Each structure stands twice: as C-alpha cells, then as structure tokens.
Amino acid sequence: QNFDKDPKRWWVVTSAVEDAARLVEVLLPLHPGWFLPGAALANVLRSGALVGRQSLVNGTILRHFALRENLGDIRAKLEAQGRILAIAALPVGIGLFRWTQGLATVSDASGNEAVSPAGLALASAVYGTLFLSKNYFCYRAAKALRFDNLNANRLVLAARSYVKTGEAPTPSEVADLEGVYAPRGRQLDRVRFGASFEGLREAAGSALDELIEAHEGEGYLLAARGRGREAGVLVCVKGGCSDEDVAKAALQGEILAARREGGGEGEALIESRCLEEATSALGDFLARLEAAGWSLRVVRGAWNTVEVTKLL
C-alpha cells in the first residue's frame, strides 16, 4: 500500500537499495572471508529492492506512460529496451571491471599481487560516479512523473488548493507540490486519512456521540485534533466508503483546517458549518477535478476502517 501512497519516493529508494547491493558485491573480493554473509546481505537487499521497483514499474508508474490505456504495448517496449540495454551493458561492464581491476592491483617486489591504494581510490571513484549518476537520473525521472489518479496525498493537496483558490489544480501542478523527497508529514498531518476509531474517539472526547450523529449519512467520520503545531483533522473511513465520500472527506477536512486557523467561532459551530460547506461544494469540486484531468477513482491505502455496526 505504501507504494501507491508514495510511488516516486519508493522508486528512488528501491533503486538506491539495489545499488547498495551491487556495492556490497563489488567490495567482497577485498574481504574473501566475508563472502558468504556479504553475498547473503547483497541478495536480501537486491530481492527487496526488485520487489519494490518491479511492482512500481509494472503497476503505478505505467500510468504515467499509458495515456491511452495501452499498458501491454508500453510494457512490451520497456521489456525490449531493457533487454537491449542489458546486452549492450555486458561487454562494457566486463571491460570496465578489467580496467579498474588493473588499477587496483599491482605486483610487489616478490611478484605477488597487492592492492594499490591509489588505484583502489581511483577505481572507487569510477564506481561511485556511476552509482551516483544512476541515482541522480532516477531522481530526475521520478520528479518528472505525473499521475492523474488520486491517492490520499494528491487528493488532500487538490482539496487544499480548491479551498484557497476555488480552482482544482492539474496533475502537473500537484506533482510539483508532491515532489520526491518533500516532507510528507507536513503535507498529510493537516488532514490524515485512515485514522483509527480509537484515535478519533480520543480527539472527539465528549463530543463523540454528536460527531457520529452528524456524520450518520456519510461514508466517514471526521474530527479536529490539537491546536497550534499539533492541529490537524482525523478522517476515519467507514466500511463501504465510496470514492465520492473520500473526496468529500478531504474537502471537509481542508475547510475545517482553514476555518480553525482563522478562528473567531466556536469549535462546534465551525465543524457543523464545514460539513454543510463540503456538501454544498462537493459537486463543483468533483467537476473541476475532472476538468483539470483527474481520474475520480481514489487509490485506497492501508487505511483503518470502521464498520457501521460498531457505531450503533
């Protein structure tokens, strides 16, 4: 679920972990006694990285390329390009390995091979440059990705922009806000989806019954929490919650967060009016999202859900 929640960051991270596995393998000849544990560590790192990277490339990231839903065609082209690059990289890699091996080893006075510190440093600089370059280009590629499907992060960012400006941002605009390494806590703590019922009950306190009653016909429960830097909105999703309900929860949460920052009214009055405002603005919000190029189907994360029967 975290791959769908934050695909750009996880793509870059899994690529870096795969390179870390290669680095372990490159260093193993310097310490033959550590071959078995080193090889095992490299295998574990590579296996975990490949699970993540292949899941992202074959799933979420394909949406960036398959603008006409031609997933099979795109996948076939990616496979063909990958095979061609693998064939071309084999002789280049062998040549590079032999060259750096020659740099790192010298013959001592007795004719035995020994490690050359200067050569080893140069060889390390060559491999380090390759690793860093590859990860930099991976970062740039991730930064360029644009997704038109709404997950919790993109939906909250879109609702925040709509509440401020009355317009829905485009997928490109949200992608720039989303970034690759931008702090997610700062983006998501304001309106947090998938809160547990216990956490929501703690935030609501004695007003829990009123909150449940106010959201009786909704697919979610929503409550404000904290003040100042700790201020935010918790969204507890009910079982069977529709995509429209999720969009409404994000909209209501952003309206509530903005009203609380403005102050001037009682908490209960603010929460009541925010639900009314979200209900009134939902149709326009969804229409503007669709006009901006968004798919209105929401990617569900590993959210806690509460069954209606639990509230009765």
Side-chain angles (χ1 to χ4, degrees):
Q1 291 94 340
N2 284 329
F3 291 159
D4 284 322
K5 180 180 178 181
D6 202 352
K8 293 183 181 183
R9 177 175 298 183
W10 278 107
W11 185 30
V12 175
V13 168
T14 53
S15 177
V17 171
E18 186 179 9
D19 286 342
R22 290 195 180 99
L23 179 61
V24 172
E25 292 175 340
V26 169
L27 295 176
L28 281 179
L30 299 177
H31 301 279
W34 290 87
F35 177 79
L36 286 179
L41 174 62
N43 187 53
V44 169
L45 290 175
R46 175 176 286 106
S47 297
L50 286 177
V51 168
R53 187 166 61 81
Q54 293 296 337
S55 298
L56 288 166
V57 171
N58 292 331
T60 305
I61 293 176
L62 277 183
R63 292 188 62 88
H64 172 80
F65 298 103
L67 298 179
R68 299 179 181 178
E69 300 299 328
N70 54 333
L71 297 176
D73 179 41
I74 297 297
R75 184 63 236 170
K77 289 177 179 177
L78 288 176
E79 281 290 337
Q81 292 174 4
R83 300 300 177 187
I84 292 172
L85 288 174
I87 293 172
L90 182 60
V92 174
I94 292 174
L96 181 63
F97 178 77
R98 287 181 175 176
W99 178 63
T100 53
Q101 186 181 32
L103 292 175
T105 56
V106 293
S107 297
D108 58 18
S110 60
N112 298 321
E113 287 190 349
V115 176
S116 167
L120 180 61
L122 180 57
S124 300
V126 171
Y127 280 106
T129 301
L130 291 175
F131 290 150
L132 291 175
S133 299
K134 186 252 187 179
N135 281 279
Y136 172 74
F137 290 127
C138 183
Y139 164 79
R140 296 290 298 179
K143 189 176 180 180
L145 289 173
R146 303 288 185 269
F147 299 111
D148 62 359
N149 58 337
L150 292 163
N151 60 10
N153 191 27
R154 296 180 208 121
L155 183 56
V156 167
L157 291 174
R160 188 172 304 163
S161 178
Y162 177 81
V163 170
K164 288 181 178 179
T165 66
E167 297 290 337
T170 64
S172 294
E173 291 170 340
V174 170
D176 291 336
L177 294 173
E178 194 176 25
V180 178
Y181 287 123
R184 295 295 183 254
R186 190 176 303 171
Q187 293 179 356
L188 296 176
D189 280 349
R190 181 167 157 135
V191 177
R192 181 166 293 278
F193 275 90
S196 66
F197 182 70
E198 289 71 21
L200 184 130
R201 178 168 53 193
E202 182 179 347
S206 60
L208 179 63
D209 291 338
E210 297 175 12
L211 183 146
I212 292 175
E213 184 178 353
H215 293 85
E216 184 176 359
E218 310 297 338
Y220 60 91
L221 298 173
L222 186 148
R225 64 172 172 84
R227 281 290 181 183
R229 289 191 172 185
E230 300 298 324
V233 177
L234 298 179
V235 179
C236 182
V237 179
K238 296 180 183 179
C241 178
S242 67
D243 292 336
E244 187 173 307
D245 290 329
V246 176
K248 185 176 179 180
L251 183 59
Q252 182 184 342
E254 282 299 326
I255 293 173
L256 176 56
R259 296 294 181 273
R260 292 184 78 210
E261 288 176 356
E265 293 180 321
E267 194 77 24
L269 183 59
I270 291 177
E271 293 186 3
S272 175
R273 288 185 176 177
C274 288
L275 178 56
E276 295 174 2
E277 287 185 44
T279 302
S280 175
L282 179 61
D284 181 63
F285 176 53
L286 294 175
R288 290 181 184 273
L289 282 176
E290 195 166 18
W294 291 101
S295 166
L296 298 184
R297 298 191 65 181
V298 179
V299 180
R300 308 298 179 93
W303 296 345
N304 295 304
T305 58
V306 58
E307 297 300 328
V308 177
T309 53
K310 184 177 181 179
L311 307 177
L312 298 179

